[in-house]
Amino acid sequence: MTDKTAKLVIEGRDPIELPVLSGTMGPDVVDVRSLTANGLFTYDPGFVSTASCESEITYIDGDQGVLLHRGYPIDQLANKADYLDVCYLLLYGDLPSAAEKKEFQHVISHHTMVHEQMRQFFQGFRRDSHPMAIMVGVVGALSAFYHDSLDITNERHREVAAHRLISKMPTLAAMTYKYSIGQPFVYPRNDLSYGGNFLHMMFSTPAQDYKVSPTLARAMDKIFTLHADHEQNASTSTVRLAGSSGANPFACIAAGIAALWGPAHGGANEAVLTMLEEIGDESRIEEFIARAKDKDDPFRLMGFGHRVYKNYDPRAKVMKATCDEVLSELGAGNDPMLKIAMRLEKIALEDEYFIEKKLYPNVDFYSGIIFKALGIPTDMFTVLFAVGRTPGWIAHWKEMISGAYRIGRPRQLYKGHTQRDVPGK
Ligand code: SDX
């Protein structure tokens, strides 16, 4: 809070004084809450200039390409901590001590199984359903199974729901995959790391255990870390908005999954791979770049551009390095998709259109190539984003519910008919 004020002057009215709020970092914020009492609203479709809440979780400086979770830079978290450290950090505000980590790891690994009856839910879906469609359904359905963690006014219930979601998301994600290929579900294993257990549930079968490579398990862990939170993005804002009505946490996360699915958001990782496959050969890159620049063509370069970053997405840098590690472990360094991606990135970064609009690769640009190398099918990519983003969604939901909040209720600039009468018969 500062004692700075802004003055809004509208012709024919007395000036309105508005407080200007300062955060610990980032731009000042004009507090417009009193405008409604003056018969005015602000107009900001897409929330381009609007802070929807106060938060202590994540900070982004889009011009500098900085991303901090609770003050820690994302590259340090990805390289020096693991995903469960980051989950703990997002939920509780600090990195865990050794004892706290041990306890947290125990809690998370001991809640990874889902209620046996959940298996029957899957039978209701077509085998060729999009995995995100199934995830929206089954995550929402958790609220039908875990009644003992639905009281949002109870701090312990909120914590149990948070743990359950972080524990069970990989299980549900892997079940979704197994269902789509007609294989039996594989139960989780407590002796494996979070990333390693996920790969086990995806690729083991009752006939053969999948040998989890430590390099690949670590890469999976890093990818989850890079997706863990990103401030008030579309899906997190959806979770907050759903939660502001008092809806239960499982329903709120299902709403977040639905918002994530779109190709402008988390669905972009799937769209990147589809785009690279469509390009097919380095010789066609220029053609696709020209299409991306053409206003009359709806095609956009997937994995490029960001509402907040006007610089290289710091997550994309770590993702690119992880991509190199994974491809070299798998001996897939000559992957044609990777070659097209690297060439495409180079050409776009040197192109005047992309330079002028400050369009850089985002988190989704390289993740798909890693997923593909790991043997994960394209339509599962966004599911993996959802698994990684779960602690972020819950941390924001928990932060909101733990403090003072009101139901989210935007207003509008009405452009419809003025009042008119229904004609008599
Ligand atoms: C994520 O918000 C988050 O934090 C999200 C996220 C997270 O972790 O939660 O980081 C995850 O969603 C990453 C973004 C994934 N999406 C894509 O990769 C899809 C491709 N990118 C875009 O469609 C776009 O860049 C958005 C949706 C990401 C951002 O949209 P904005 O902020 O509304 O910007 P815009 O679409 O208005 O673009 C500004 C200009 C436009 O041109 P002009 O009308 O000014 O002439 O840039 C152009 C756009 O046409 N542009 C592109 C482009 N992205 C923007 N042109 C070609 N290719 C692109 N990819």
Side-chain angles (χ1 to χ4, degrees), residues 230 264-265 295 301 303-304 306-307 315 353 357 362 389:
H230 213 235
H265 192 11
K295 277 219 166 303
L301 220 53
F304 258 78
H306 199 276
R307 169 64 63 78
R315 300 167 298 175
Y353 172 95
K357 293 188 189 303
N362 60 47
R389 181 54 54 88

Side-chain angles (χ1 to χ4, degrees), residues 276 280-282 332-342 372:
L276 293 176
D281 189 86
E282 287 183 52
N334 282 328
D335 185 278
M337 287 302 129
L338 179 70
K339 284 200 169 145
I340 297 174
M342 282 167 62
K372 182 173 175 277

Side-chain angles (χ1 to χ4, degrees), residues 6 19 35 42 48 57 71 92-93 141 144 159 165 168 187 202 228 238 248 252 270 284 291 318 359 393 409 421:
L35 283 184
T42 54
V48 178
I57 301 172
Y92 299 107
E159 186 172 41
L165 277 156
K168 295 179 200 306
Y187 287 107
M202 285 286 289
T238 301
N248 76 66
C252 295
E270 177 178 344
R284 296 190 64 207
R291 285 186 59 196
V318 185
L359 300 169
W393 286 331
R409 179 39 170 108
D421 292 325

Side-chain angles (χ1 to χ4, degrees), residues 46 48 60 226-227 229-236 260 262-269 271-272 289 291-295 299-310 313 315 353-354 357 359 362-365 385 389:
V48 178
I60 302 173
L226 293 174
H227 286 95
D229 188 41
H230 213 235
E231 204 227 55
Q232 310 308 325
N233 59 83
S235 53
T236 303
L260 186 74
H265 192 11
N269 56 12
V272 168
I289 296 261
R291 285 186 59 196
K293 294 180 344 190
D294 181 356
K295 277 219 166 303
F299 175 77
R300 288 287 168 271
L301 220 53
M302 289 291 124
F304 258 78
H306 199 276
R307 169 64 63 78
V308 186
Y309 291 121
K310 302 303 165 200
D313 180 335
R315 300 167 298 175
Y353 172 95
F354 290 88
K357 293 188 189 303
L359 300 169
N362 60 47
V363 68
D364 292 316
F365 191 68
F385 191 147
R389 181 54 54 88

